[in-house]
Amino acid sequence: MSASLNKVILIGHLGADAEVRYTAGGAPVASFSLATSERRKQADGSAREQVEWHRVTLYGRLAEIARDHLRKGAQVY
């Protein structure tokens, strides 16, 4: 069995401020929901937007950066 890697790049908007908690050892962990959207043309020519929500978790220094900078509605890459 060989190992594989799946890579995903998400660009979207935050549904709420990043929530930060700490492990028993004191390491920060941040979580937030990210909305991505896609516009598709329907058979009748009208456009339809489909929104998908992703739950993102960050650890360590990235969690601290999220705590300090990520606010509801901000665009995130």
Side-chain angles (χ1 to χ4, degrees):
M1 178 177 186
S2 64
S4 63
L5 173 69
N6 293 319
K7 181 178 181 178
V8 175
I9 297 174
L10 298 172
I11 301 173
H13 290 88
L14 295 180
D17 292 356
E19 298 174 11
V20 180
R21 60 191 184 283
Y22 296 88
T23 64
V29 179
S31 299
F32 56 88
S33 292
L34 182 70
T36 58
S37 61
E38 180 179 15
R39 293 183 194 267
R40 291 189 176 199
K41 230 177 208 184
Q42 301 297 317
D44 65 2
S46 64
R48 180 174 178 223
E49 184 176 35
Q50 182 175 354
V51 177
E52 186 172 346
W53 288 92
H54 309 271
R55 191 74 178 149
V56 179
T57 304
L58 304 173
Y59 301 91
R61 180 68 182 130
L62 284 177
E64 293 172 341
I65 292 169
R67 175 196 63 211
D68 296 340
H69 299 285
L70 299 185
R71 299 290 176 254
K72 180 179 180 177
Q75 187 174 37
V76 177
Y77 168 71

